[in-house]
Amino acid sequence: MTQNVPRVLHDMQPTIADNTAVPAGVVWRLAEAGRQLDANVLNLPPGTVVEAHAEPDLDVLMVVVAGSATMDTEDGARPLLPGAVVWLPRGSTRGFTIGTDGLTYLTVHGRRPGMQIRGAGGVRRT
């Protein structure tokens, strides 16, 4: 198959139909060679708490597919329901409390560069 041809990569319908029947963790991951994006579908069980944290380097787009959660931000709590499209700007602090029906969501962001060894002052070593 030619790499630069649009194609369907994953069917989320079974997860949308019953996310409680899907194991916790990564449901799907974008793994195509030569991509410029990273994307994941994750499923978290009811009652999970994701402590407040910040992504220092990348903006992240999050799309709620199934379930619910409360997102805690510096501006207060925000309910997340299926269909919510959430922008998580780099450097922003957020935490999540997953609802009684779990949470399944898609994240998309620019691809992280490969791990690099850097010397003092951030200078890359080869």
Side-chain angles (χ1 to χ4, degrees):
M1 177 183 281
T2 305
Q3 181 176 335
N4 292 331
V5 175
R7 59 195 180 275
V8 175
L9 299 176
H10 180 70
D11 180 7
M12 288 198 294
Q13 286 301 319
T15 303
I16 292 169
D18 185 6
N19 69 313
T20 61
V22 177
V26 177
V27 174
W28 171 83
R29 175 175 286 132
L30 183 63
E32 278 44 49
R35 70 190 186 279
Q36 294 179 344
L37 292 174
D38 277 333
N40 301 286
V41 175
L42 294 102
N43 191 50
L44 299 177
T48 299
V49 175
V50 179
E51 297 296 331
H53 64 285
E55 162 54 59
D57 300 322
L58 299 169
D59 289 353
V60 176
L61 187 70
M62 175 181 178
V63 180
V64 177
V65 175
S68 65
T70 300
M71 177 176 64
D72 294 313
T73 72
E74 295 169 359
D75 289 338
R78 305 278 187 261
L80 299 179
L81 299 171
V85 178
V86 182
W87 175 45
L88 304 168
R90 72 176 182 262
S92 65
T93 301
R94 64 279 195 157
F96 301 91
T97 301
I98 309 310
T100 58
D101 45 357
L103 179 72
T104 304
Y105 62 98
L106 165 72
T107 61
V108 180
H109 55 79
R111 188 171 182 194
R112 293 181 185 280
M115 296 284 287
Q116 299 177 355
I117 299 172
R118 295 196 182 267
V123 176
R124 191 172 117 196
R125 295 161 145 189
T126 55

